[in-house]
Amino acid sequence: MRVVSAEEVAHTLKWDGLIKRLHTTFVNGVESPPRHHHAMHRPDGEATMLLMPAWEAAGYIGVKMVNVFPQNADYGIPAISGLYLLSEGKYGQPLACIDGSELTRRRTAAASALAAQALANENAETLLVVGTGKLAPMVIEAHASVRPIKRVLIWGRNPGKATAIADEYADRFETSVVEELAEAVAEADIISCVTLSTEPLIKGEWLTSGTHLDLIGAFRPQMRETDAECLHRADVFVDTYAGAKGEAGDILQAIDEGVFRFEDIKAELAEVLSGEKTGRASEDTITLFKSVGASLEDLAAAIEVWEALPA
């Protein structure tokens, strides 16, 4: 069995290839039971263990284990860590143990870019990234691979981290750190939220026509990055119905507040990509994509890594 490092994952997962692989996997589908979600009570705070299995009908088999420790931010350590075990499908023999953190970062950003490719206006040039964790650079790169991004705005609770990201990408884009989130939201064509917030950061009254809102940070019912007005004003799409119903706090809390219904969701991503349902209705439509992550994305990314590795 081969051990694949984070560096090898980063080298092999090119945005174009990964996004195409995800597109194919969403359309063709895989077997993916609901992920196991276990709360862990640690001495310094709450943590979460996720187990995410998936397999092709006659092909690869995989499972990811992820530990989420939000309190790691206090120690300068990434909040998310894990590994992916990929097996071949004929005999069930393990092929590779792949660094799960880098795999997760890149597949998450690529899935959002895939959704933006279908839902954001084609001339979207200004990207606002809300959050400064390890996922923030990935969404910049992924969205820029599918839309003509020229300007990147960065907001975060830690101005130093926001400045570091802005500096890192200053040679590729016009970058700036923003303090007033409401003003930045009004200027953005695409807003990508990559936080573990439990309180709304984006308010619906700030959104302007044509904006695409990408919510990929909060992944538990208690978490949310938007208020209910965002969902009320937008055409809402999700990565999967099952994930949205079980874990999408932005949606579930808006439903509890009586502002949104689950039936108001326009489509899950596979339906849009296959042409079964319509994506963006017009240039002026506000679109919202809520993702909590799906095991089919991890399997697709792991296969992409395995098949791109040198022999």
Side-chain angles (χ1 to χ4, degrees), residues 137-192:
M138 297 293 95
V139 297
I140 295 173
E141 295 182 13
H143 282 296
S145 75
V146 299
R147 285 295 180 264
I149 302 299
K150 296 179 180 178
R151 185 175 175 225
V152 177
L153 312 176
I154 302 160
W155 179 92
R157 292 191 174 95
N158 186 320
K161 289 183 178 180
T163 299
I165 295 172
D167 290 345
E168 181 181 355
Y169 287 94
D171 61 337
R172 292 178 53 186
F173 310 99
E174 177 189 340
T175 63
S176 59
V177 175
V178 297
E179 296 181 0
E180 295 298 328
L181 196 50
E183 295 178 7
V185 167
E187 296 177 18
D189 300 312
I190 299 174
I191 302 164
S192 189

Coordinates of all heavy atoms in Angstrom, one line a residue, residues 137-192:
P137 N -7.0 30.1 0.6 CA -6.2 30.2 -0.6 C -6.8 29.2 -1.7 O -6.7 29.5 -2.9 CB -4.8 29.8 -0.2 CG -4.8 30.0 1.3 CD -6.2 29.7 1.8
M138 N -7.3 28.1 -1.3 CA -7.8 27.1 -2.2 C -9.0 27.6 -3.0 O -9.1 27.4 -4.2 CB -8.2 25.8 -1.5 CG -7.1 25.1 -0.8 SD -5.8 24.4 -1.9 CE -4.6 25.7 -1.9
V139 N -9.9 28.3 -2.3 CA -11.1 28.8 -3.0 C -10.7 30.0 -4.0 O -11.3 30.1 -5.1 CB -12.2 29.3 -2.1 CG1 -12.8 28.1 -1.3 CG2 -11.8 30.4 -1.2
I140 N -9.7 30.7 -3.7 CA -9.2 31.7 -4.6 C -8.7 31.0 -5.9 O -9.1 31.4 -7.0 CB -8.0 32.5 -4.0 CG1 -8.6 33.4 -2.8 CG2 -7.4 33.5 -5.0 CD1 -7.5 34.1 -2.0
E141 N -7.9 30.0 -5.8 CA -7.3 29.3 -6.9 C -8.4 28.6 -7.7 O -8.4 28.7 -8.9 CB -6.2 28.4 -6.5 CG -5.0 29.0 -5.8 CD -3.9 28.1 -5.4 OE1 -4.0 26.9 -5.8 OE2 -3.0 28.5 -4.7
A142 N -9.3 27.9 -7.0 CA -10.3 27.1 -7.7 C -11.3 28.0 -8.5 O -11.6 27.7 -9.6 CB -11.1 26.3 -6.7
H143 N -11.8 29.1 -7.8 CA -12.7 30.0 -8.5 C -12.1 30.7 -9.7 O -12.7 30.9 -10.7 CB -13.3 31.0 -7.5 CG -14.4 30.4 -6.7 ND1 -15.6 30.0 -7.2 CD2 -14.5 30.2 -5.3 CE1 -16.3 29.5 -6.2 NE2 -15.7 29.7 -5.0
A144 N -10.8 31.0 -9.5 CA -10.1 31.7 -10.6 C -9.9 30.7 -11.8 O -9.6 31.2 -12.9 CB -8.7 32.2 -10.1
S145 N -10.0 29.4 -11.6 CA -9.8 28.5 -12.7 C -11.1 28.3 -13.5 O -11.0 27.8 -14.6 CB -9.4 27.1 -12.1 OG -10.5 26.4 -11.5
V146 N -12.2 28.8 -13.0 CA -13.5 28.7 -13.8 C -14.1 30.0 -14.1 O -15.1 30.1 -14.9 CB -14.5 27.8 -13.0 CG1 -14.0 26.4 -12.8 CG2 -14.9 28.5 -11.7
R147 N -13.7 31.1 -13.5 CA -14.2 32.5 -13.8 C -13.1 33.5 -13.9 O -12.0 33.3 -13.3 CB -15.2 32.9 -12.7 CG -16.5 32.2 -12.8 CD -17.3 32.5 -14.0 NE -18.6 31.9 -14.2 CZ -18.8 30.8 -14.8 NH1 -17.8 30.1 -15.4 NH2 -20.1 30.3 -14.9
P148 N -13.3 34.5 -14.7 CA -12.2 35.5 -14.9 C -11.9 36.4 -13.8 O -12.0 37.7 -13.9 CB -12.7 36.3 -16.2 CG -14.2 36.3 -16.0 CD -14.5 34.9 -15.4
I149 N -11.5 35.9 -12.6 CA -11.3 36.6 -11.4 C -10.1 37.6 -11.6 O -9.0 37.1 -11.9 CB -11.1 35.7 -10.2 CG1 -12.3 34.8 -10.0 CG2 -10.8 36.5 -8.9 CD1 -13.6 35.5 -9.7
K150 N -10.3 38.9 -11.3 CA -9.3 39.8 -11.4 C -9.0 40.5 -10.0 O -7.9 41.0 -9.8 CB -9.7 40.9 -12.4 CG -9.8 40.4 -13.9 CD -10.2 41.6 -14.8 CE -10.3 41.1 -16.2 NZ -10.7 42.2 -17.1
R151 N -10.0 40.5 -9.2 CA -9.9 41.2 -7.9 C -10.4 40.3 -6.8 O -11.4 39.7 -6.9 CB -10.8 42.5 -8.0 CG -10.8 43.4 -6.8 CD -11.6 44.6 -7.1 NE -11.7 45.5 -5.9 CZ -12.9 46.0 -5.5 NH1 -14.0 45.8 -6.1 NH2 -12.9 46.8 -4.5
V152 N -9.6 40.2 -5.7 CA -9.9 39.4 -4.6 C -9.9 40.2 -3.3 O -8.9 40.9 -3.0 CB -8.8 38.2 -4.5 CG1 -9.1 37.4 -3.2 CG2 -8.8 37.4 -5.7
L153 N -11.0 40.2 -2.6 CA -11.2 40.9 -1.4 C -11.2 39.8 -0.3 O -11.8 38.7 -0.4 CB -12.6 41.6 -1.3 CG -12.9 42.5 -2.5 CD1 -14.3 43.1 -2.4 CD2 -11.8 43.6 -2.7
I154 N -10.5 40.1 0.8 CA -10.4 39.1 1.9 C -10.8 39.8 3.2 O -10.3 40.8 3.6 CB -8.9 38.6 2.0 CG1 -8.5 38.0 0.7 CG2 -8.8 37.6 3.1 CD1 -7.0 38.0 0.5
W155 N -11.7 39.1 3.9 CA -12.2 39.5 5.3 C -11.9 38.4 6.3 O -12.2 37.2 6.0 CB -13.7 39.8 5.2 CG -14.2 40.3 6.6 CD1 -14.3 41.6 7.1 CD2 -14.7 39.4 7.6 NE1 -14.8 41.6 8.3 CE2 -15.0 40.3 8.7 CE3 -14.8 38.1 7.8 CZ2 -15.5 39.8 9.9 CZ3 -15.3 37.6 9.0 CH2 -15.7 38.4 10.0
G156 N -11.4 38.8 7.4 CA -11.2 37.8 8.5 C -11.2 38.5 9.8 O -10.9 39.7 9.9
R157 N -11.4 37.7 10.9 CA -11.3 38.2 12.2 C -9.9 38.5 12.6 O -9.7 39.4 13.5 CB -12.0 37.2 13.2 CG -13.5 37.1 13.0 CD -14.1 36.3 14.2 NE -15.5 36.2 14.1 CZ -16.2 35.2 13.6 NH1 -15.6 34.2 13.1 NH2 -17.5 35.2 13.6
N158 N -9.0 37.9 12.0 CA -7.6 38.1 12.2 C -7.0 38.9 11.1 O -6.7 38.3 10.0 CB -6.8 36.8 12.4 CG -5.4 37.0 12.8 OD1 -4.7 37.9 12.4 ND2 -4.9 36.1 13.7
P159 N -6.8 40.2 11.2 CA -6.3 41.0 10.1 C -4.9 40.6 9.6 O -4.6 40.7 8.4 CB -6.2 42.4 10.7 CG -7.2 42.4 11.8 CD -7.1 41.0 12.4
G160 N -4.1 40.1 10.5 CA -2.8 39.6 10.0 C -2.9 38.4 9.1 O -2.1 38.4 8.1
K161 N -3.7 37.5 9.3 CA -3.9 36.4 8.4 C -4.5 36.8 7.1 O -4.1 36.3 6.0 CB -4.8 35.3 9.1 CG -4.2 34.6 10.2 CD -5.2 33.5 10.8 CE -4.6 32.7 11.9 NZ -5.5 31.7 12.4
A162 N -5.4 37.7 7.1 CA -6.0 38.3 5.9 C -4.9 39.0 5.1 O -4.9 38.8 3.8 CB -7.2 39.2 6.2
T163 N -4.1 39.7 5.7 CA -3.0 40.4 5.0 C -2.0 39.4 4.4 O -1.6 39.6 3.3 CB -2.3 41.4 6.0 OG1 -3.2 42.4 6.5 CG2 -1.1 42.1 5.3
A164 N -1.7 38.4 5.1 CA -0.8 37.4 4.6 C -1.4 36.7 3.3 O -0.6 36.5 2.3 CB -0.5 36.3 5.6
I165 N -2.7 36.4 3.3 CA -3.3 35.8 2.1 C -3.3 36.9 0.9 O -2.9 36.5 -0.2 CB -4.7 35.4 2.4 CG1 -4.7 34.2 3.4 CG2 -5.4 34.9 1.1 CD1 -6.0 33.8 3.9
A166 N -3.6 38.1 1.2 CA -3.6 39.2 0.2 C -2.2 39.3 -0.4 O -2.1 39.4 -1.6 CB -4.1 40.5 0.8
D167 N -1.2 39.3 0.4 CA 0.2 39.4 -0.1 C 0.6 38.2 -0.9 O 1.3 38.4 -1.9 CB 1.1 39.5 1.1 CG 1.0 40.9 1.9 OD1 0.4 41.8 1.3 OD2 1.5 41.0 3.0
E168 N 0.1 37.0 -0.5 CA 0.5 35.8 -1.2 C 0.0 35.8 -2.7 O 0.6 35.3 -3.6 CB -0.1 34.6 -0.5 CG 0.3 33.3 -1.2 CD -0.3 32.1 -0.4 OE1 -0.9 32.3 0.7 OE2 -0.2 30.9 -0.9
Y169 N -1.2 36.5 -2.9 CA -1.8 36.4 -4.2 C -1.7 37.8 -4.9 O -2.4 38.0 -6.0 CB -3.2 36.0 -4.1 CG -3.3 34.5 -3.8 CD1 -3.4 34.0 -2.5 CD2 -3.2 33.5 -4.9 CE1 -3.4 32.6 -2.3 CE2 -3.3 32.2 -4.6 CZ -3.4 31.7 -3.3 OH -3.4 30.4 -3.0
A170 N -1.0 38.7 -4.4 CA -0.9 40.1 -5.0 C -0.3 40.1 -6.3 O -0.6 41.0 -7.1 CB -0.2 41.0 -4.0
D171 N 0.5 39.1 -6.7 CA 1.1 39.1 -8.0 C 0.2 38.5 -9.1 O 0.5 38.6 -10.3 CB 2.4 38.3 -8.0 CG 2.2 36.8 -7.6 OD1 1.2 36.5 -6.9 OD2 3.1 36.0 -7.9
R172 N -0.9 37.9 -8.7 CA -1.8 37.3 -9.6 C -3.1 38.1 -9.7 O -3.8 38.1 -10.8 CB -2.2 35.9 -9.2 CG -1.0 34.9 -9.3 CD -1.4 33.5 -8.9 NE -2.5 33.0 -9.5 CZ -3.1 31.9 -9.2 NH1 -2.6 31.1 -8.3 NH2 -4.2 31.5 -9.9
F173 N -3.5 38.8 -8.6 CA -4.8 39.5 -8.6 C -4.6 40.9 -8.0 O -3.6 41.1 -7.3 CB -5.9 38.7 -7.8 CG -6.0 37.3 -8.2 CD1 -5.4 36.3 -7.5 CD2 -6.7 36.9 -9.3 CE1 -5.5 34.9 -7.8 CE2 -6.9 35.6 -9.7 CZ -6.3 34.6 -9.0
E174 N -5.6 41.7 -8.1 CA -5.7 42.9 -7.3 C -6.3 42.5 -6.0 O -7.5 42.2 -5.9 CB -6.6 44.0 -8.0 CG -6.8 45.2 -7.2 CD -7.8 46.2 -7.8 OE1 -8.1 46.0 -9.0 OE2 -8.3 47.0 -7.1
T175 N -5.5 42.5 -5.0 CA -6.0 42.0 -3.7 C -6.1 43.1 -2.6 O -5.3 44.1 -2.7 CB -5.0 40.9 -3.1 OG1 -3.7 41.4 -2.9 CG2 -4.9 39.7 -4.1
S176 N -7.0 42.9 -1.7 CA -7.1 43.9 -0.6 C -7.8 43.3 0.6 O -8.7 42.4 0.4 CB -7.9 45.2 -1.1 OG -9.2 44.8 -1.5
V177 N -7.4 43.7 1.8 CA -8.1 43.3 3.0 C -9.2 44.3 3.3 O -9.0 45.5 3.2 CB -7.0 43.3 4.2 CG1 -7.7 43.0 5.5 CG2 -6.0 42.3 3.9
V178 N -10.4 43.8 3.6 CA -11.5 44.6 3.9 C -11.9 44.6 5.3 O -11.8 43.5 6.0 CB -12.7 44.2 3.0 CG1 -12.4 44.4 1.5 CG2 -13.1 42.8 3.3
E179 N -12.3 45.7 5.8 CA -12.8 45.8 7.2 C -14.3 45.8 7.3 O -14.9 45.2 8.2 CB -12.2 47.0 7.9 CG -10.7 47.0 8.0 CD -10.2 48.3 8.7 OE1 -11.0 49.1 9.1 OE2 -8.9 48.4 8.9
E180 N -15.0 46.5 6.4 CA -16.4 46.6 6.4 C -17.0 45.5 5.5 O -17.0 45.6 4.2 CB -16.9 48.0 5.9 CG -16.4 49.1 6.8 CD -17.0 49.0 8.2 OE1 -18.2 48.5 8.3 OE2 -16.4 49.4 9.2
L181 N -17.5 44.5 6.1 CA -18.0 43.3 5.3 C -19.2 43.7 4.4 O -19.3 43.2 3.3 CB -18.4 42.2 6.3 CG -18.6 40.8 5.7 CD1 -17.4 40.4 4.8 CD2 -18.8 39.8 6.8
A182 N -20.1 44.6 4.9 CA -21.2 44.9 4.1 C -20.9 45.6 2.8 O -21.4 45.3 1.8 CB -22.1 45.9 5.0
E183 N -19.9 46.5 2.9 CA -19.4 47.1 1.6 C -18.8 46.1 0.7 O -19.0 46.2 -0.5 CB -18.4 48.2 2.0 CG -19.0 49.4 2.8 CD -18.0 50.4 3.1 OE1 -16.8 50.3 2.7 OE2 -18.3 51.4 3.9
A184 N -18.0 45.2 1.2 CA -17.3 44.2 0.4 C -18.4 43.3 -0.3 O -18.2 42.9 -1.5 CB -16.3 43.4 1.2
V185 N -19.4 42.9 0.4 CA -20.4 42.0 -0.1 C -21.1 42.7 -1.3 O -21.4 42.1 -2.3 CB -21.5 41.7 1.0 CG1 -22.7 41.1 0.4 CG2 -20.9 40.7 2.0
A186 N -21.4 44.0 -1.2 CA -22.1 44.8 -2.2 C -21.2 44.9 -3.5 O -21.7 44.9 -4.6 CB -22.4 46.2 -1.7
E187 N -19.9 44.8 -3.3 CA -19.0 44.9 -4.5 C -18.7 43.5 -5.2 O -18.3 43.5 -6.3 CB -17.6 45.5 -4.0 CG -17.7 46.9 -3.5 CD -16.4 47.4 -3.0 OE1 -15.3 46.8 -3.4 OE2 -16.3 48.4 -2.2
A188 N -18.9 42.4 -4.5 CA -18.5 41.1 -5.0 C -19.4 40.5 -6.0 O -20.7 40.6 -5.9 CB -18.3 40.2 -3.8
D189 N -18.8 39.8 -6.9 CA -19.6 39.0 -7.9 C -19.8 37.6 -7.3 O -20.8 36.9 -7.5 CB -18.9 38.9 -9.2 CG -18.7 40.2 -9.9 OD1 -19.7 41.0 -9.9 OD2 -17.6 40.5 -10.3
I190 N -18.8 37.1 -6.6 CA -18.8 35.8 -5.9 C -18.4 36.0 -4.5 O -17.3 36.6 -4.3 CB -17.9 34.7 -6.6 CG1 -18.3 34.5 -8.1 CG2 -17.9 33.4 -5.8 CD1 -17.4 33.6 -8.9
I191 N -19.1 35.5 -3.6 CA -18.8 35.5 -2.1 C -18.6 34.1 -1.7 O -19.5 33.3 -1.7 CB -19.9 36.2 -1.3 CG1 -20.1 37.6 -1.8 CG2 -19.5 36.2 0.2 CD1 -21.4 38.2 -1.3
S192 N -17.4 33.7 -1.2 CA -17.1 32.4 -0.7 C -16.8 32.4 0.8 O -15.8 33.1 1.2 CB -15.9 31.8 -1.5 OG -15.7 30.4 -1.2

